[in-house]
Amino acid sequence: MFSISSIVLPRWCTTSSCRHIVRMAAVHTTIAGLSFEAVAIKPPSHPTYDLEGIIKLALAEDAGGRGDVTSMATIPFDMEVEAHFLAKDDGIIAGIVLAEMVFQEVDPSLKVKWSRKDGDYVQKGLQFGKVYGRAHSIVVAERIALNFMQRMSGIATLTKAMADAAHPAYILETRKTAPGLRLVDKWAVLIGGGRNHRLGLFDMVLIKDNHISIAGGISNALRSVDRYLEQENLQMEVEVETRTHEEVKEVLQYASQTKTSLTRIMLDNMVVPLPNGDVDVSMLKEAVELINGKFETEASGNVTFETVHKIGQTGVTYISRICHCFLWHHTGAMSLQAGTEVENYMPHNDLCGFQCSNQGFLVVFSKNGALTHSVKALDISLKIDTELALEVGRRTKRA
């Protein structure tokens, strides 16, 4: 007989911890020897965000206080297996560090090895990592690890495409991230070669149209910000949104007459769509010329794959996509389902898949993940080496 308590309650899910509300209150995270100091592309630094807490929350959400009942019923508790990460499409891999944190959180005895790092380009069919250890632990961690990797790799792949097209301008994301996953999403943007906009409401002043209207104009809003920062002895970037050349000129006039903390001017909706699907960037280019390098510039509005290159040639410093359908919502997530092997199985047209030849596992991938709209999904699988599992099972007289 198996010990029910040892199976139901893995390291991350004791009776008390499963009901514990995760408090995001850590600046730096280190898990089982994993330190971000050694990571090639580090996550953004946030004063109250706890990556380890997000992982625990995801695992607790999956376990529901009871644990993986299917694995408890079907997998011997001490069986060991080796599982391989396989790229099912071309793209930028991201979330490797986070996936390893998931495996370490579930079971520190699991051994994870990678042949690629976050930000590397992977081709379809490449086996880029493996994990060895207790089958039960691997299966419990698998979905959470892949969920993070799928989302992050989709964002990174899309960001890379946008960043390359925008050159020499830089691509920025926005605050419109999935609640609770902001640092994860923004980390993926960095991995894909983009830049981070402000992390939240606390680390940058961004004077938008509502602030301007309430303050009684751009000059009044800027004056109020400069006064506030001086009173609070704060030093941070300040950006102001402009929508016309007249507003740009007003900002420049204010800055020429007053000592200001202003660092960047947003040029909103100065890219004008044309009936033929092209865009007119002359208004944006003229605004950039007016500013003449005195401040950083940021183009916003009507940014698509088709327009981003043209926008990037205007001399603007940054290009951001404020619309809800940018990096977060039009990202190709990587989707995976696992089931028992079926003889002579042929995937449907909307699926791509493979069978582990007489090895007991069938892995099926959906081309259309929940976030897949404007970029092809980058499929990733975690293939368990069942031959090794059977060998261990025979050795322990369980198979």
Side-chain angles (χ1 to χ4, degrees), residues 35-278:
S35 173
F36 288 132
E37 296 305 313
V39 175
I41 303 175
K42 300 178 180 63
S45 180
H46 192 289
T48 61
Y49 197 99
D50 183 7
L51 274 175
E52 185 177 359
I54 292 297
I55 290 171
K56 289 180 178 179
L57 184 63
L59 291 167
E61 176 184 62
D62 225 14
R66 176 170 290 172
D68 184 354
V69 293
T70 310
S71 293
M72 285 187 280
T74 61
I75 300 176
F77 188 68
D78 58 353
M79 176 175 283
E80 293 187 338
V81 297
E82 185 174 276
H84 300 267
F85 289 90
L86 183 69
K88 294 292 290 179
D89 213 336
D90 301 344
I92 302 299
I93 199 68
I96 282 178
V97 173
L98 198 52
E100 186 163 348
M101 289 170 64
V102 172
F103 285 111
Q104 291 297 311
E105 180 63 34
V106 170
D107 185 348
S109 71
L110 294 176
K111 295 177 176 59
V112 188
K113 293 185 178 180
W114 308 96
S115 60
R116 294 294 185 273
K117 64 182 183 301
D118 282 330
D120 282 350
Y121 179 80
V122 295
Q123 290 182 310
K124 181 179 179 179
L126 177 69
Q127 195 176 101
F128 61 90
K130 63 182 179 180
V131 55
Y132 175 84
R134 288 178 54 240
H136 182 88
S137 298
I138 291 174
V139 172
V140 167
E142 170 201 12
R143 184 69 270 155
I144 303 303
L146 287 177
N147 281 351
F148 281 127
M149 292 184 73
Q150 289 165 354
R151 181 178 181 86
M152 291 182 71
S153 295
I155 292 172
T157 300
L158 178 56
T159 301
K160 174 64 174 172
M162 294 290 289
D164 286 349
H167 184 78
Y170 298 105
I171 283 291
L172 295 174
E173 23 66 331
T174 72
R175 283 172 50 237
K176 295 185 177 181
T177 55
L181 292 178
R182 180 170 298 177
L183 200 74
V184 174
D185 286 352
K186 285 180 173 283
W187 191 3
V189 168
L190 293 179
I191 291 171
R195 299 286 184 93
N196 287 154
H197 209 291
R198 57 178 179 164
L199 293 178
L201 299 173
F202 62 92
D203 59 329
M204 178 184 187
V205 174
L206 178 51
I207 307 171
K208 300 276 288 179
D209 50 359
N210 285 338
H211 305 107
I212 293 168
S213 297
I214 295 170
I218 284 185
S219 295
N220 286 343
L222 284 167
R223 190 173 295 108
S224 297
V225 166
D226 285 331
R227 188 181 303 120
Y228 173 80
L229 293 178
E230 184 177 2
Q231 290 173 350
E232 299 295 324
N233 195 27
L234 292 174
Q235 291 186 341
M236 61 177 60
E237 291 185 321
V238 176
E239 180 174 10
V240 64
E241 177 185 289
T242 61
R243 295 157 292 183
T244 65
H245 287 167
E246 287 68 30
E247 289 184 334
V248 172
K249 291 175 182 177
E250 184 178 349
V251 169
L252 294 174
Q253 183 178 4
Y254 172 85
S256 67
Q257 299 173 348
T258 310
K259 182 181 178 181
T260 179
S261 296
L262 181 68
T263 55
R264 187 184 307 172
I265 301 176
M266 180 187 293
L267 307 170
D268 191 39
N269 286 316
M270 294 190 188
V271 176
V272 182
L274 300 175
N276 63 0
D278 198 2

Side-chain angles (χ1 to χ4, degrees), residues 24-39:
M24 297 182 188
V27 181
H28 303 291
T29 303
T30 303
I31 298 179
L34 290 173
S35 173
F36 288 132
E37 296 305 313
V39 175

Side-chain angles (χ1 to χ4, degrees), residues 297-312:
T297 52
E298 178 183 332
S300 174
N302 296 311
V303 178
T304 68
F305 281 116
E306 292 74 27
T307 65
V308 69
H309 177 72
K310 195 170 185 177
I311 296 170

Side-chain angles (χ1 to χ4, degrees), residues 382-395:
L382 184 60
K383 172 188 171 185
I384 291 181
D385 188 339
T386 48
E387 183 57 41
L388 179 59
L390 288 173
E391 177 185 335
V392 174
R394 287 190 289 268
R395 187 171 69 244

Side-chain angles (χ1 to χ4, degrees), residues 84 86 88 142-143 146 150 335-342 345 347 351-357 359-366 379-386:
H84 300 267
L86 183 69
K88 294 292 290 179
E142 170 201 12
R143 184 69 270 155
L146 287 177
Q150 289 165 354
S335 179
L336 176 146
Q337 289 180 302
T340 55
E341 183 180 8
V342 179
Y345 176 85
L351 297 173
C352 54
F354 71 91
Q355 287 176 273
C356 307
S357 168
Q359 301 278 310
F361 250 63
L362 167 69
V363 185
V364 180
F365 309 88
S366 169
D379 288 329
I380 300 175
S381 74
L382 184 60
K383 172 188 171 185
I384 291 181
D385 188 339
T386 48

